[in-house]
Amino acid sequence: MSIRPVKSIIQSQPTIEGAGVKLRRAFGFGNTDEFDPFLLLDDFRNDNPQDYRAGFPWHPHRGIETVTYVLRGEVHHKDTLGNSGSIGAGDVQWMTAGRGIMHEEMPQVRPEGIAGFQLWVNLPAKLKMTKPRYQDIRSTEIPEIKKEAGARIRVITGTVDGVSGPVTGIAANPIYLDVSVPAHASFIQPVHQGHTAFAYVFEGEAKFAGDGKDDGTMISHPRLVVLGDGDYVRVVTSATPVRFLLISGKPLHEPIARYGPFVMNTEEEIEQTLQELREGTFVTT
């Protein structure tokens, strides 16, 4: 059994998306090979209404899954297939865009502001043109496990101590955990060997990957820790608690052709997608 080492550390960067939403991007676009099957992770925590009220008006997706996890506030959503609703604090929406969907996501201006994350997950070639679907998960449906050392883990997908998260049927066989570790405590989580794994530290700080011979690498927020291969992740806190997302998944090892919100395997498939948009045949019921 081996600890997953710290492969690299990435400082999340300010960026603007949608109709002018200010957020921080942990990774995305450019070369994302080392994150396969993941494509993008955005941190949209914000207390200033002017920075997020414009939201993400109507836009298309094809060939991917988008995962929206809300920590506080509320996000309204609707799409061209007739789905609509809201997700609030602690809720998750796992949307499989598949062959194509048009939707909008509008953060609501509230006194508590808005906070959450959006992760993009690639689909394998055999599922890129599958029928779109949603898994809307309420906060009360997400199990929370408390470890003896005091760590708390919200299990969105994957399994911790025999308890599985509510999101199922995802091709990448992912783990998506929201982990809180108190001061002067430790956390260990098995991860499938050969799977891509990373942690996004968004509160506090902790040491990652230490063992009896090595104290590990101190990571403070907001930073992404790319983890090397191994059997498990180890995190240790000192005087400061930490909270982070721990995410892993099975790499697809497939070619990627990307154009904005479309992620396919070939440039010809991208051209076909753009043609369908021009002709009004992109969305089918």
Side-chain angles (χ1 to χ4, degrees):
M1 298 289 287
S2 60
I3 295 175
R4 283 182 170 250
V6 172
K7 187 176 177 181
S8 61
I9 303 167
I10 300 173
Q11 173 79 46
S12 63
Q13 297 297 318
T15 190
I16 297 176
E17 280 294 348
V21 177
K22 294 182 179 179
L23 47 79
R24 299 188 70 89
R25 178 156 294 162
F27 70 89
F29 299 101
N31 186 351
T32 56
D33 288 351
E34 71 174 337
F35 296 101
D36 181 18
F38 306 105
L39 300 160
L40 173 149
L41 178 64
D42 282 345
D43 174 348
F44 57 82
R45 292 174 294 160
N46 208 308
D47 296 321
N48 183 357
Q50 299 306 316
D51 289 346
Y52 66 85
R53 71 166 67 241
F56 304 89
W58 290 106
H59 59 282
H61 287 289
R62 172 175 280 180
I64 65 170
E65 300 180 285
T66 65
V67 186
T68 306
Y69 177 33
V70 178
L71 297 181
R72 71 172 188 269
E74 186 176 3
V75 178
H76 288 184
H77 64 88
K78 60 182 178 180
D79 64 42
T80 45
L81 301 180
N83 301 297
S84 65
S86 298
I87 52 175
D91 297 344
V92 173
Q93 182 188 83
W94 198 296
M95 184 190 79
T96 303
R99 67 191 180 211
I101 198 167
M102 297 277 291
H103 74 155
E104 71 172 12
E105 301 158 294
M106 303 301 289
Q108 301 302 292
V109 175
R110 299 285 171 79
E112 69 269 29
I114 193 74
F117 309 95
Q118 186 164 95
L119 175 72
W120 287 16
V121 188
N122 200 5
L123 282 169
K126 64 182 181 181
L127 295 178
K128 282 194 176 295
M129 297 299 285
T130 194
K131 182 179 179 180
R133 70 166 180 151
Y134 286 92
Q135 294 187 64
D136 282 328
I137 309 296
R138 297 302 166 191
S139 181
T140 54
E141 300 175 68
I142 298 173
E144 182 171 296
I145 296 169
K146 187 171 182 178
K147 297 277 197 176
E148 288 184 6
R152 291 181 293 107
I153 305 102
R154 301 193 81 221
V155 187
I156 294 166
T157 187
T159 302
V160 177
D161 294 346
V163 177
S164 297
V167 175
T168 59
I170 306 300
N173 189 23
I175 290 174
Y176 192 128
L177 309 177
D178 176 355
V179 182
S180 299
V181 184
H184 305 293
S186 63
F187 167 78
I188 290 176
Q189 173 60 34
V191 177
H192 291 295
Q193 195 167 61
H195 282 204
T196 298
F198 60 85
Y200 181 63
V201 177
F202 61 93
E203 292 179 10
E205 63 180 17
K207 289 185 176 180
F208 282 72
D211 56 24
K213 300 177 182 178
D214 180 2
D215 286 341
T217 303
M218 181 65 79
I219 311 294
S220 58
H221 72 97
R223 287 181 173 83
L224 184 93
V225 187
V226 182
L227 298 164
D229 204 3
D231 299 291
Y232 63 97
V233 176
R234 184 172 187 266
V235 179
V236 178
T237 58
S238 53
T240 303
V242 70
R243 189 175 180 186
F244 58 93
L245 302 179
L246 178 60
I247 297 171
S248 73
K250 183 180 180 180
L252 300 180
H253 301 301
E254 292 184 354
I256 289 178
R258 180 188 296 116
Y259 185 88
F262 311 127
V263 182
M264 303 301 288
N265 296 102
T266 67
E267 293 298 334
E268 290 76 14
E269 290 170 329
I270 293 293
E271 288 299 325
Q272 177 64 32
T273 300
L274 296 175
Q275 182 178 337
E276 290 174 18
L277 276 175
R278 291 190 295 267
E279 295 175 351
T281 59
F282 174 72
V283 174
T284 58
T285 56

